[in-house]
């Protein structure tokens, strides 16, 4: 397994937390996709991608349809994607992805947690050198799929040659340049792959090892940030517990 896959796997449960919060966050992503490209999945690639992710997270069909319908309402708020970054205790870098209809409220909430844990919020882009920003696509594997041939075709779309397979789920995960998101999605759909879920993520390029109380402090800080409805994902460069234990 590659570095990106192992990091995402080890932190997945922390990022998505409880099911109710997962559905709330996915509902916001649906709202953004609908407002940008309309309510019909066949005519809206972004919405198709979010719906595929919803299915993988076991979000009920009724919830998905309700979120699409709500996003079409005239009284629905417009969400904005805002990322906050800074340092937590023990020099750990933290990225906080949010979807918000009130940036004043959201930055206040995020700053309060950083202050509580003696951290500091930085300016946008100040910690970008510590993380690789990637787009990620997961799709069902075909029986006759030759991954070497597929990757060779995808290289021109800035997809990495390292990919991951989940034998239990029967899926493939690939990583690429965020700027190529739309092109990669279109390519996969034209090749007939099913349930293509796409997202953006931050992968730390230099993990820091903490133990004992120091690790517990960062975990508590991340959990506190994830309690806010506006927060979608929290990324840190703390080495996952699974890697530390090995």
């Amino acid at each position: 397994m590659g570095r990106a896959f192992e990091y995402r796997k080890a932190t997945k449960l922390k990022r998505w937390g409880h099911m109710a919060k997962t559905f709330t966050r996915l509902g916001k992503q649906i709202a953004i996709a609908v407002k940008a490209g309309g309510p019909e999945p066949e005519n809206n690639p972004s919405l198709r991608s979010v719906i595929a992710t919803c299915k993988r997270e076991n979000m009920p069909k009724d919830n998905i349809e309700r979120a699409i319908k709500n996003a079409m309402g005239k009284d629905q708020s417009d969400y904005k994607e805002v990322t906050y970054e800074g340092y937590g205790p023990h020099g750990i870098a933290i990225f906080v992805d949010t979807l918000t209809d009130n940036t004043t409220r959201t930055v206040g909430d995020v700053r309060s947690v950083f202050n509580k844990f003696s951290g500091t919020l930085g300016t946008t882009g100040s910690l970008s050198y510590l993380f690789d920003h990637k787009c990620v696509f997961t799709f069902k594997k075909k029986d006759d799929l030759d991954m070497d041939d597929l990757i060779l075709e995808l290289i021109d779309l800035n997809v990495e040659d390292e990919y991951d397979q989940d034998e239990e789920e029967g899926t493939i995960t690939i990583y690429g340049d965020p700027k190529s998101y739309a092109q990669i999605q279109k390519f996969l759909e034209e090749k007939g792959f099913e349930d293509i879920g796409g997202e953006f993520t931050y992968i730390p390029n230099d993990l820091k090892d903490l133990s004992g109380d120091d690790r517990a402090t960062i975990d508590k800080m991340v959990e506190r940030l994830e309690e806010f409805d506006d927060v979608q994902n929290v990324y840190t460069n703390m080495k996952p517990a699974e890697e530390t234990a090995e």
Side-chain angles (χ1 to χ4, degrees), residues 116-234:
K116 180 178 180 179
F117 286 86
S118 301
T120 55
L121 266 183
T123 57
T124 301
S126 60
L127 302 185
S128 60
Y129 69 98
L130 294 174
F131 291 79
D132 294 327
H133 190 202
K134 300 180 183 296
C135 65
V136 184
F137 285 93
T138 300
F139 50 89
K140 288 291 184 180
K141 181 182 179 181
K142 295 180 180 180
D143 292 337
D144 59 348
L145 177 64
D146 186 319
M147 279 304 299
D148 290 336
D149 289 344
L150 180 64
I151 292 297
L152 189 61
E153 292 184 80
L154 284 167
I155 285 178
D156 289 339
L157 299 181
N158 299 312
V159 170
E160 298 178 359
D161 58 6
E162 186 177 79
Y163 61 90
D164 300 295
Q165 298 188 57
D166 189 322
E167 298 294 345
E168 184 177 343
E169 297 293 331
T171 59
I172 299 289
T173 299
I174 60 174
Y175 305 86
D177 187 330
K179 295 178 181 178
S180 300
Y181 183 97
Q183 293 172 289
I184 297 170
Q185 182 185 19
K186 181 180 179 181
F187 175 90
L188 293 173
E189 289 182 340
E190 289 178 345
K191 287 292 183 178
F193 289 100
E194 299 179 359
D195 299 329
I196 305 168
E199 62 178 327
F200 297 95
T201 190
Y202 289 92
I203 305 295
N205 54 46
D206 183 20
L207 293 171
K208 297 192 65 173
D209 194 3
L210 298 181
S211 60
D213 292 341
D214 293 347
R215 170 174 291 278
T217 298
I218 297 298
D219 284 340
K220 289 179 181 177
M221 182 176 180
V222 171
E223 290 171 4
R224 183 68 187 90
L225 286 165
E226 290 177 337
E227 289 177 3
F228 296 120
D229 287 341
D230 293 338
V231 173
Q232 291 284 294
N233 288 308
V234 179

